[in-house]
Amino acid sequence: MQRLSVFGRLGAPLLALLLLPQCGGSDLTLPSETAPAELAVVGGNNQQGAAGQPLTRPLVVEVRDRRGIPVADQTVAFKLAVQVAGAVVSPDTARTGPTGQAQTFWTLGSASGAQRVVANVVGLDGLEVEFDAIVGSSAAVRIETLSGNGQRASVGTALRDSLVVRVLDRFGNPVEGALVDWNASEGSVDPDLVTTGSDGRAATYRILGRTVGTQTAAATSAGLDGSPVTFSSTALAGSADELVRVSGDNQIGSPGVELPAPLVVRLVDRNGNGVPGRAVTWVLGEGGGDVSSPSTTTGDDGQTSTRWTLGSAETNTLNAVVSGVGIVTFSATAVGGGGGGGGGGGGGPAQAARLVFEVQPSDVREDQDIDPAVEVEVLDAQGNRFTSPDIEIKLELAGNADGELQGHLTKKTKSGVATFSDLRVNRPGDYKLHASADGLPTEVSATFQVRDRHEGGDDHGGGGD
């Protein structure tokens, strides 16, 4: 019987096993070489996006072993480096596929600036990468006041601080590149169209108009909540420029008797606005006499007054003086006996003595009717309305521009008053009206302003367009 060698049936496999320890091992893959050794960013880093919105590209990582070969079936966790309201990574864990890659999607949080996501291989310390994103604002939704409201300055001058607004998104982040349109009720703004900067701000330089009181400016950004934003400023009278006679000149009275009408002056700046809080000194001139208040102070409208008792001479004068500004002289005639009498000149019938503007001209736009209608009243020497007979009164225009007074310029009084209801001026400027009648002294109105028809702001008077 033939004997079989062990190596006959098992030779090759057994020999291979016996010789295995003798091999150099260069073709052997050990378990440590196939283990995850590296986590690399493949895509999605350094993106830019809007607050509250998802990024356009996913965040992608790749797990590799020491040889740089992708490793499948590894769990990768994604998390926010800092919690930001509204920020989400989904999914927050993912397993690598045959290519060794895993990915997630990132919705940015509500805060503008920089945000970060960290990815790591679960269970393996040190295998970690970061994704950064630059977060801009989302769409503009509202506009708000930032600074510059409630300032005060003289008419025609610039406010100390700029007017500033801010445009924000729905999360309160500043929005860059929004258009803001500025306009003013009167005066001006510069610039009038501004684009918000990276801080969401838009500012303008404000110069007040020529009228005292509240003036407004507005910032408008179409479609935004809070638009328009309104800024209010208080325009104060400028430096005193002129002392103007208002009423009380050319009265007739008895010596030693107080005249029936007070003497009234108005202190104005170069734009015709009343200057308050200034002292006016009343100085007796020719004829002597007395005044009730030798020194008075202008009120909010720039006006002040005193009462005058005539001296014994026929002609009496009284000067109203504002230091550094000017002098206005009032004249009066003393007739009849002196002392204590109330009448004027022997008790005869009343005579027309002077004119007064019962209704002064109001500010108006060029070529629009002055409203309310100007009224001129005729008074006797005692300050009573002179009603009979009717007297023809004529108006003329004086001022710093070449405007023409239009309408019916001559009117007869009715019950002592002439009403001019269709007066208008065809050029912008500062003007006064002169009222005259035969045998009576000319009366001068207060200053009024005629604005350009295209100038912004409300008129105190004037008809509609």
Side-chain angles (χ1 to χ4, degrees):
M1 182 174 64
Q2 185 177 3
R3 184 179 297 175
L4 295 176
S5 169
V6 174
F7 291 102
R9 288 185 297 175
L10 302 177
L14 180 59
L15 180 61
L17 289 173
L18 291 174
L19 294 176
L20 182 60
Q22 308 300 320
C23 295
S26 58
D27 295 329
L28 177 65
T29 300
L30 300 177
S32 60
E33 293 182 323
T34 61
E38 180 187 1
L39 181 63
V41 173
V42 175
N45 195 22
N46 294 321
Q47 296 185 69
Q48 295 184 2
Q53 299 298 311
L55 291 175
T56 57
R57 293 182 287 126
L59 312 186
V60 183
V61 295
E62 184 174 293
V63 180
R64 302 167 185 158
D65 63 20
R66 291 184 177 181
R67 300 167 299 169
I69 297 174
V71 180
D73 203 29
Q74 298 297 308
T75 301
V76 179
F78 298 90
K79 66 178 181 179
L80 298 166
V82 176
Q83 293 295 325
V84 180
V88 176
V89 284
S90 180
D92 57 1
T93 60
R95 294 188 71 81
T96 59
T99 63
Q101 294 184 2
Q103 69 177 34
T104 191
F105 293 89
W106 185 5
T107 297
L108 298 173
S110 60
S112 61
Q115 296 182 27
R116 175 172 291 174
V117 164
V118 178
N120 68 286
V121 178
V122 176
L124 296 176
D125 294 337
L127 295 188
E128 181 177 286
V129 293
E130 296 176 343
F131 292 85
D132 291 310
I134 300 301
V135 185
S137 62
S138 59
V141 297
R142 75 177 189 272
I143 185 172
E144 65 181 17
T145 304
L146 197 60
S147 63
N149 195 28
Q151 296 183 73
R152 300 164 66 90
S154 297
V155 293
T157 64
L159 296 179
R160 184 187 66 181
D161 299 323
S162 295
L163 310 185
V164 186
V165 294
R166 181 170 55 189
V167 175
L168 304 172
D169 67 9
R170 62 192 176 101
F171 303 113
N173 298 307
V175 177
E176 183 177 5
L179 286 177
V180 177
D181 184 18
W182 292 93
N183 64 83
S185 60
E186 56 180 300
S188 63
V189 290
D190 185 28
D192 57 7
L193 187 63
V194 182
T195 301
T196 56
S198 59
D199 56 1
R201 298 184 181 191
T204 195
Y205 183 71
R206 176 78 166 100
I207 299 177
L208 297 177
R210 297 182 297 175
T211 305
V212 296
T214 300
Q215 297 185 21
T216 60
T220 303
S221 193
L224 301 189
D225 291 343
S227 178
V229 173
T230 300
F231 292 79
S232 294
S233 306
T234 301
L236 308 174
S239 299
D241 182 70
E242 182 183 8
L243 186 63
V244 179
R245 182 190 303 108
V246 177
S247 63
D249 195 24
N250 292 315
Q251 297 184 69
I252 300 174
S254 298
V257 176
E258 185 177 272
L259 292 173
L263 311 187
V264 183
V265 293
R266 185 169 184 250
L267 186 63
V268 297
D269 63 15
R270 64 187 181 90
N271 294 307
N273 300 300
V275 178
R278 290 291 299 272
V280 176
T281 302
W282 301 89
V283 181
L284 290 166
E286 184 179 353
D290 194 17
V291 290
S292 60
S293 301
S295 180
T296 58
T297 303
T298 56
D300 290 342
D301 59 357
Q303 290 193 9
T304 189
S305 64
T306 194
R307 307 296 299 224
W308 186 12
T309 298
L310 297 182
S312 59
E314 180 176 316
T315 300
N316 289 248
T317 60
L318 179 64
N319 298 310
V321 181
V322 174
S323 178
V325 178
I327 300 173
V328 169
T329 300
F330 290 83
S331 297
T333 302
V335 297
Q351 298 293 322
R354 60 192 180 91
L355 306 175
V356 296
F357 280 88
E358 179 72 10
V359 177
Q360 295 276 0
S362 301
D363 293 349
V364 69
R365 295 183 191 273
E366 60 179 314
D367 291 324
Q368 293 183 356
D369 289 348
I370 297 175
D371 185 23
V374 173
E375 294 183 2
V376 180
E377 183 180 21
V378 182
L379 302 179
D380 63 20
Q382 307 306 317
N384 302 309
R385 181 176 291 179
F386 182 81
T387 58
S388 180
D390 293 342
I391 294 177
E392 187 173 82
I393 298 175
K394 181 179 180 181
L395 293 183
E396 295 179 336
L397 186 68
N400 64 1
D402 59 351
E404 178 185 351
L405 184 63
Q406 300 174 343
H408 291 85
L409 310 184
T410 302
K411 291 278 188 175
K412 280 192 174 183
T413 59
K414 292 183 179 180
S415 299
V417 178
T419 302
F420 299 83
S421 59
D422 61 350
L423 299 177
R424 56 193 176 277
V425 180
N426 65 349
R427 293 286 189 277
D430 294 332
Y431 298 96
K432 298 177 183 178
L433 296 180
H434 289 191
S436 61
D438 288 345
L440 299 179
T442 298
E443 180 71 5
V444 180
S445 76
T447 300
F448 66 102
Q449 183 183 116
V450 177
R451 298 193 185 106
D452 188 287
R453 74 189 69 185
H454 303 296
E455 185 177 338
D458 298 330
D459 294 316
H460 299 296
D465 290 334

